């Protein structure tokens, strides 16, 4: 498989993909390895994962460069991702033992009642390319912590990063028969779906996620899906500083080129500050520097997948045909690289694809609303339910809006944020199940109830 640099369209490296034979052998190896891994103490497993964290910290620059070369993520953002994901390791250190150790629920009378959290076994981690550190850690670190072996399938657009994970996990002391990489595209993912595994943890698009859930349903093993979003942000007229609100909203929409599951994908602004907000927003976005992701100061690199350019073009054309106004951007760039200018459209409506379908790129629509009721109705008018944000000086008013939204995450005066302390979960077409928080630790276990009579 050729690994292509999206900034130059040059082949960086050719790597060997897995086939049916290698997948079978690796799965067999993981089944044996998992038995021994589950028997070592939680503390020992935590120490190995901490060592992995140290190895990553020691090589931030090299790891960030690998990530930039295969995804086009601007180098500064790649560094932020490599170091930022460390908070998962801290969370594991501080919480792993607490949530995985045996619990004595009752010991009164003749019967002692206990819960033991056993690992699931060998689990598949089929992953996405947009934040391979964050979304990979959310699954494979927590799965390993709980005593599982992991069949990690990096996205075909982040394979080199996936192979680095394997190298560093092995070096840290995770046995080679406890973590394996399965390299390739959809066909290798399919082979994992056919394998006899004990759980499927998927991060990616709604389309693939739904397919996976249907395909593995007869196995009756846990399936978790972290899928896409069409995340709304509502700016109320009482914000302390309209310009600052616009700057923050733009960062939420355009960081990582808009290729975040929780990127702001739609903006609603109260009509009384609409013009001021749009003016500040457009001037902020127009100031973004687009170009070589290795260059210091670049905020907008190429999009990772060439196919996404056609999606962005279609959303812009559809919006303009239906009456939207193009404020800035709206086209690709001449020459090599999968570049798309950061794009802002106003005068948009929910009849446009731009306001309904996940864009996953540097493009945003801004719509004016009359009041909170209209904002709630538009924010909920989506098949997705990942995150939603409200900017306002009034917490109670913001909470009244957030309480009415069907999303897994709600933000007041912030957006595009993930914390290991809180559950990461999507509603509707945004997913099924939970990663992170104590619930995301337990997600990789199966409880066993002991009734122990003296
Ligand atoms: P994708 O669905 O195209 O691919 C995801 C993974 O599934 C890849 O590893 C791919 O090789 C594999 N795959 C594809 N077809 C398969 C099949 N038939 N059987 C088994 N595996 C298969 O998604 P993507 O483009 O990698 O990721 C982008 C999407 O991921 C966006 O929608 C984004 O919002 C979402 N995402 C969600 C979260 C979250 O936490 N909710 C995080 C990151 C990304």
């Amino acid at each position: 498989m050729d690994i292509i640099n999206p900034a130059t369209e040059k082949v960086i490296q050719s790597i060997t993909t897995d086939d049916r034979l290698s997948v079978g052998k690796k799965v067999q190896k993981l089944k044996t390895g998992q038995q021994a891994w589950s028997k070592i103490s939680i503390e020992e497993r935590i120490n190995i994962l901490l060592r992995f964290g140290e190895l990553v910290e020691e090589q931030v620059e090299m790891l960030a460069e690998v990530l930039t070369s295969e995804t086009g993520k601007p180098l500064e953002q790649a560094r932020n991702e490599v170091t930022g994901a460390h908070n998962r390791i801290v969370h594991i250190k501080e919480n792993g033992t607490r949530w995985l150790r045996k619990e004595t629920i009752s010991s009164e009378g003749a019967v002692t009642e206990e819960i033991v959290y056993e690992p699931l076994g060998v689990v598949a981690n089929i992953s996405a390319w947009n934040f391979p550190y964050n979304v990979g850690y959310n699954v494979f670190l927590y799965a390993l912590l709980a005593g599982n072996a992991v069949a990690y399938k990096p996205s075909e657009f982040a394979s080199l990063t996936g192979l680095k994970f394997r190298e560093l996990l092995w070096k840290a002391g995770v046995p080679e028969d406890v973590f394996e990489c399965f390299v390739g595209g959809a066909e290798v993912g399919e082979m994992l779906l056919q394998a006899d595994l004990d759980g499927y943890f998927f991060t990616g698009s709604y389309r693939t996620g739904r397919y996976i859930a249907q395909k593995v349903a007869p196995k009756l093993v846990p399936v978790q899906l972290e899928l896409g979003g069409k995340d709304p942000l509502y700016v109320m007229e009482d914000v302390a500083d309209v310009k600052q609100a616009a700057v923050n909203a733009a960062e939420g929409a355009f960081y990582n080129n808009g290729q975040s599951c929780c990127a702001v994908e739609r903006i609603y602004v109260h009509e009384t500050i609409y013009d001021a907000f749009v003016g500040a927003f457009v001037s902020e976005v127009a100031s973004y520097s687009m170009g070589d992701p290795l260059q210091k100061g670049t905020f907008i690199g190429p999009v990772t997948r060439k196919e996404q350019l056609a999606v962005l073009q279609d959303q812009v054309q559809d919006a303009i045909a239906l009456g939207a106004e193009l404020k800035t951007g709206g086209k690709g760039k001449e020459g090599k690289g999968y570049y798309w200018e950061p794009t802002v459209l106003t005068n948009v409506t929910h009849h446009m694809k731009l306001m309904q379908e996940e864009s996953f790129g540097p493009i945003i629509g801004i719509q004016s609303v009359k009041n909170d009721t209209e904002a709630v109705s538009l924010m909920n008018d989506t098949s997705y339910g990942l995150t939603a944000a409200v900017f306002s000086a009034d917490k109670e008013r913001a909470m009244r809006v957030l309480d009415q939204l069907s999303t897994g995450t709600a933000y007041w005066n912030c957006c595009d944020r993930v914390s290991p302390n809180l559950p990461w979960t999507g509603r509707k077409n945004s997913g099924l199940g939970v990663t992170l928080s104590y619930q995301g630790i337990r997600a990789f276990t199966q409880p066993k109830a002991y009734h122990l009579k003296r």
Side-chain angles (χ1 to χ4, degrees):
M1 182 171 68
D2 287 343
I3 309 294
I4 293 170
N5 182 333
T8 60
E9 300 185 39
K10 286 199 177 125
V11 175
I12 314 167
Q13 206 176 315
S14 280
I15 56 174
T16 308
T17 53
D18 275 287
D19 56 23
R20 203 161 287 285
L21 190 67
S22 66
V23 168
K25 277 191 187 157
K26 285 179 177 178
V27 166
Q28 225 28 63
K29 190 181 77 167
L30 291 173
K31 281 181 184 282
T32 313
Q34 192 270 329
Q35 300 290 324
W37 180 247
S38 68
K39 295 201 172 54
I40 74 169
S41 69
I42 301 170
E43 290 73 18
E44 206 173 324
R45 293 201 293 262
I46 290 176
N47 283 336
I48 292 173
L49 297 179
L50 292 178
R51 178 74 193 121
F52 167 73
E54 287 164 8
L55 291 173
V56 170
E57 295 285 302
E58 283 165 19
Q59 302 188 52
V60 172
E61 208 51 36
M62 180 272 290
L63 294 169
E65 278 169 22
V66 170
L67 184 56
T68 294
S69 71
E70 64 179 343
T71 65
K73 188 182 295 252
L75 190 58
E76 283 175 40
Q77 295 177 27
R79 270 191 215 110
N80 289 348
E81 186 185 342
V82 177
T83 52
H86 187 75
N87 61 12
R88 272 71 167 171
I89 290 175
V90 174
H91 181 250
I92 282 173
K93 180 182 169 199
E94 289 171 357
N95 294 278
T97 311
R98 177 174 169 207
W99 296 104
L100 290 176
R101 70 180 162 220
K102 179 178 78 179
E103 286 182 310
T104 302
I105 303 300
S106 150
S107 55
E108 283 165 24
V111 180
T112 298
E113 297 179 334
E114 293 175 351
I115 305 175
V116 170
Y117 293 95
E118 296 184 349
L120 298 169
V122 181
V123 299
N125 174 190
I126 301 178
S127 201
W129 48 265
N130 60 327
F131 275 96
Y133 280 83
N134 290 316
V135 300
Y137 279 21
N138 293 359
V139 175
F140 68 69
L141 288 186
Y142 287 83
L144 290 170
L145 166 75
N148 300 280
V150 178
Y152 179 63
K153 185 186 141 358
S155 161
E156 56 273 44
F157 299 100
S159 306
L160 300 180
T161 300
L163 289 167
K164 284 286 168 207
F165 287 152
R166 181 177 73 176
E167 181 187 319
L168 296 182
L169 283 166
W170 286 0
K171 200 166 168 194
V174 174
E176 294 190 8
D177 54 6
V178 168
F179 182 91
E180 244 313 352
C181 234
F182 293 74
V183 177
E187 69 296 341
V188 173
E190 277 286 348
M191 290 171 203
L192 287 175
L193 303 187
Q194 285 158 21
D196 177 25
L197 301 183
D198 305 301
Y200 286 84
F201 293 81
F202 172 76
T203 309
S205 62
Y206 162 68
R207 202 168 146 218
T208 312
R210 189 183 61 170
Y211 171 79
I212 289 177
Q214 287 170 343
K215 190 89 181 190
V216 302
K219 294 180 197 273
L220 299 184
V221 297
V223 176
Q224 283 208 171
L225 309 170
E226 304 278 3
L227 310 178
K230 189 71 193 167
D231 299 1
L233 162 66
Y234 170 33
V235 186
M236 292 178 172
E237 75 284 8
D238 65 359
V239 284
D241 181 344
V242 175
K243 184 164 182 281
Q244 191 57 50
V247 168
N248 296 347
E251 192 184 24
F254 288 94
Y255 191 84
N256 198 32
N257 232 344
Q259 301 171 122
S260 311
C261 53
C262 53
V264 173
E265 287 248 344
R266 308 176 271 153
I267 300 179
Y268 305 98
V269 183
H270 196 278
E271 59 184 9
T272 52
I273 58 160
Y274 182 75
D275 290 341
F277 180 90
V278 168
F281 191 93
V282 172
S283 88
E284 173 69 8
V285 173
S287 77
Y288 287 158
S289 147
M290 180 174 87
D292 179 357
L294 290 170
Q295 188 81 37
K296 198 164 187 273
T298 294
F299 188 67
I300 303 283
V303 296
T304 304
R305 295 165 58 252
K306 190 178 185 182
E307 301 75 56
Q308 203 61 19
L309 295 174
V311 173
L312 300 174
Q313 178 139 30
D314 180 47
Q315 290 198 352
V316 171
Q317 279 171 352
D318 171 75
I320 291 172
L322 291 171
E325 192 184 332
L326 179 65
K327 289 287 192 182
T328 184
K331 59 182 190 315
K333 185 174 130 262
E334 296 282 309
K336 290 282 179 201
Y338 312 145
Y339 288 93
W340 187 267
E341 292 179 353
T343 300
V344 182
L345 291 135
T346 56
N347 202 25
V348 295
T349 70
H350 274 218
H351 296 106
M352 302 170 185
K353 292 178 190 173
L354 174 68
M355 299 303 273
Q356 290 286 326
E357 296 172 11
E358 190 179 41
S359 306
F360 223 58
I363 163 172
I364 193 87
I366 309 179
Q367 186 167 353
S368 164
V369 291
K370 286 190 171 38
N371 52 39
D372 296 356
T373 310
E374 187 186 9
V376 168
S377 151
L378 288 169
M379 290 168 97
N380 270 332
D381 178 28
T382 171
S383 59
Y384 290 106
L386 194 58
T387 82
V390 173
F391 287 0
S392 169
D394 182 344
K395 184 180 172 203
E396 256 116 73
R397 184 176 158 202
M399 292 299 282
R400 274 198 299 279
V401 168
L402 292 170
D403 288 351
Q404 296 176 68
L405 304 178
S406 182
T407 58
T409 290
Y411 301 115
W412 174 50
N413 288 340
C414 56
C415 56
D416 192 22
R417 177 181 193 275
V418 178
S419 163
N421 301 315
L422 296 175
W424 188 247
T425 175
R427 297 190 185 172
K428 303 194 276 186
N429 290 353
S430 290
L432 196 67
V434 176
T435 52
L436 300 178
S437 78
Y438 73 89
Q439 301 187 46
I441 296 176
R442 293 257 172 92
F444 296 96
T445 67
Q446 43 191 343
K448 184 183 273 181
Y450 281 96
H451 305 240
L452 305 171
K453 192 166 177 193
R454 269 186 285 279

